[in-house]
Amino acid sequence: MLKDIPKLVSELNENDLIYILTFNRDSDNNFISYTEGIEMIVKYTNVPIYGSWDFYLNKGIVGGKITAGFLQGATAAKQALQFLKGEPIDNIDIILDGASEYMFDYHFLTRNNVNINELPKDSIIINRPEKFLEKYQSVLLNIFVSLFILVLAILYKAKQKESSMRANYTQRLESKVKERTIKLKEANQKLEWLSNIDGLTQIFNRRYFDTVLSQELLNHQKSKETLVLMICDIDYFKRYNDTYGHLAGDDCIKMVASILKAHCKKNTEIVARYGGEEFALIMPKTSHNEAKERAEAIRLSIADKALPHQSSDLGDFVSISIGVAVMNATKTTTIENIIGLADEALYKSKNSGRNKTTVKSN
């Protein structure tokens, strides 16, 4: 039974693992999609989870040598073109292992204490955090080299000037250095900003969300005021992509992001792309009632857009499910506590029919 899954997976021990098939049905013949199934399993177990397809990545599986849908399609298309160009069928190679790659999820590698250095060479690792200096090493190097060359040139010219011109030249030199310093500062600030922004939606990314949530939790532990975390998920988004295509899916994600950003009322509030079709909104010093009202306002704003979604079980338009955590932070409260509470609320909204708001308090 679907309802028995949380209990079953929570009772597994450290010597067990879970392997998820693409399609599943429970004893009542109810279909369980891979998205719904893996969300439920990840929530209630700590044992490693494996699957055979790359669409499980970023949803809870550790990884391994798994089938890459895009690579599989590209391989099949290549063979089809050979056939269409008149190549005899006997001359077309049979490919037994052309659509699999070593792919892993960094979050679940670390969760299961897997040493990354022991993975096969050329493995693909998603969600691996990039250090700022590693990401922009070449840009920073060019900046520092240019500055060094400029300083050398200025020093060389300064030595060629007559003593009567030195005072005037020094003044101009200081002005140039000041201007260059300002430009360098502006460039560094721009690079820092870009490292915190999600490329598709232009709202904050998961990296910046983690940083802000950690700082806000410390602030609220001191002030003892309530901290609200809202997590939103677009209903049946996989079906939306399958029906309208990924470009339309990107537009749908950008539309939801813009609405969430418009609902940030205070300078201290941020909205971030939490992952895929999920978004998170941090609302410091917000009451239970206000959090519920604002979540409902967001949900209704999405509905008012009336973006067509003919594959949804909820109607003809795009909708979202929302989970809201209202946390009275104490010294022992952790980031995992507040995210876990918001996840529970979101799961309840989705499990009770979707297109709903659920608020939970600690």
Side-chain angles (χ1 to χ4, degrees):
M1 295 286 289
L2 178 61
K3 65 180 181 179
D4 296 329
I5 290 178
K7 181 176 184 299
L8 291 173
V9 299
S10 65
E11 293 176 349
L12 297 176
N13 60 49
E14 61 182 7
N15 295 320
D16 294 322
L17 59 83
I18 297 172
Y19 186 84
I20 302 178
L21 300 176
T22 307
F23 299 100
N24 304 276
R25 296 181 185 274
D26 67 9
S27 57
D28 285 339
N29 207 32
N30 294 317
F31 172 73
I32 309 169
S33 72
Y34 66 83
T35 300
E36 295 169 326
I38 198 168
E39 285 178 352
M40 185 182 302
I41 292 171
V42 170
K43 184 177 180 61
Y44 290 100
T45 188
N46 290 317
V47 304
I49 306 170
Y50 295 88
S52 58
W53 287 87
D54 59 350
F55 51 68
Y56 285 122
L57 281 174
N58 210 29
K59 293 183 180 295
I61 69 168
V62 176
K65 191 171 186 181
I66 56 182
T67 301
F70 180 83
L71 182 59
Q72 186 181 54
T75 303
K78 182 178 179 181
Q79 291 180 313
L81 286 173
Q82 288 180 275
F83 179 76
L84 292 173
K85 290 179 179 179
E87 185 77 22
I89 192 69
D90 292 337
N91 293 345
I92 299 177
D93 295 333
I94 297 175
I95 301 174
L96 299 178
D97 191 24
S100 298
E101 294 182 302
Y102 285 105
M103 293 185 283
F104 301 89
D105 190 327
Y106 179 84
H107 294 325
F108 290 91
L109 287 173
T110 55
R111 173 176 172 175
N112 292 281
N113 299 317
V114 177
N115 188 345
I116 294 178
N117 295 325
E118 296 179 357
L119 298 179
K121 186 179 179 181
D122 299 326
S123 293
I124 298 171
I125 302 176
I126 68 169
N127 294 324
R128 186 171 188 173
E130 289 186 277
K131 295 181 179 178
F132 178 80
L133 289 178
E134 292 177 350
K135 187 173 183 180
Y136 298 103
Q137 182 178 6
S138 61
V139 176
L140 293 174
L141 181 60
N142 287 335
I143 291 174
F144 289 130
V145 169
S146 298
L147 181 60
F148 180 72
I149 294 174
L150 176 64
V151 171
L152 287 179
I154 292 173
L155 291 176
Y156 175 78
K157 289 182 179 181
K159 291 180 180 180
Q160 308 305 312
K161 296 291 182 180
E162 296 292 335
S163 58
S164 60
M165 300 175 61
R166 288 179 182 175
N168 183 49
Y169 182 79
T170 299
Q171 185 177 3
R172 289 188 290 117
L173 174 62
E174 290 176 351
S175 177
K176 287 184 178 181
V177 171
K178 183 178 180 180
E179 179 183 350
R180 181 66 61 166
T181 301
I182 293 173
K183 288 182 178 180
L184 285 173
K185 184 178 180 180
E186 291 174 348
N188 286 333
Q189 289 174 342
K190 185 175 182 180
L191 287 174
E192 178 66 24
W193 172 259
L194 290 174
S195 71
N196 293 327
I197 295 298
D198 175 64
L200 175 64
T201 61
Q202 296 301 302
I203 61 175
F204 291 114
N205 57 22
R206 177 66 182 271
R207 171 182 176 273
Y208 189 72
F209 164 83
D210 290 337
T211 300
V212 173
L213 185 59
S214 178
Q215 185 58 53
E216 286 298 339
L217 180 59
L218 289 175
N219 294 340
H220 284 71
Q221 285 172 333
K222 295 176 182 178
S223 67
K224 299 182 179 180
E225 295 185 82
T226 56
L227 173 62
V228 169
L229 172 63
M230 183 188 305
I231 298 181
C232 312
D233 185 84
I234 303 175
D235 295 324
Y236 299 113
F237 185 72
K238 172 64 167 56
R239 296 185 190 177
Y240 188 93
N241 266 344
D242 292 342
T243 302
Y244 299 101
H246 287 83
L247 290 178
D250 287 348
D251 289 339
C252 177
I253 287 175
K254 288 190 285 187
M255 181 272 287
V256 173
S258 66
I259 291 175
L260 288 170
K261 187 175 182 180
H263 279 265
C264 287
K265 297 181 178 180
K266 307 171 186 175
N267 293 334
T268 55
E269 296 177 352
I270 72 156
V271 61
R273 189 177 181 191
Y274 192 69
E277 67 271 22
E278 285 191 325
F279 302 86
L281 180 61
I282 301 174
M283 297 188 295
K285 301 179 182 179
T286 304
S287 68
H288 184 284
N289 290 338
E290 182 184 358
K292 184 174 183 180
E293 290 175 359
R294 293 182 62 185
E296 274 297 284
I298 290 172
R299 188 182 65 82
L300 293 175
S301 293
I302 301 296
D304 289 341
K305 282 290 183 180
L307 186 65
H309 189 352
Q310 65 185 36
S311 301
S312 174
D313 290 345
L314 305 175
D316 298 325
F317 305 107
V318 169
S319 61
I320 61 171
S321 297
I322 303 177
V324 182
V326 182
M327 180 65 68
N328 292 296
T330 66
K331 292 183 179 180
T332 60
T333 302
T334 65
I335 296 296
E336 289 74 17
N337 293 149
I338 188 167
I339 293 178
L341 191 62
D343 277 338
E344 287 179 19
L346 177 60
Y347 178 77
K348 184 175 180 181
S349 291
K350 295 171 69 174
N351 200 41
S352 61
R354 302 178 189 258
N355 192 22
K356 294 183 179 179
T357 296
T358 301
V359 182
K360 283 185 173 289
S361 302
N362 66 329

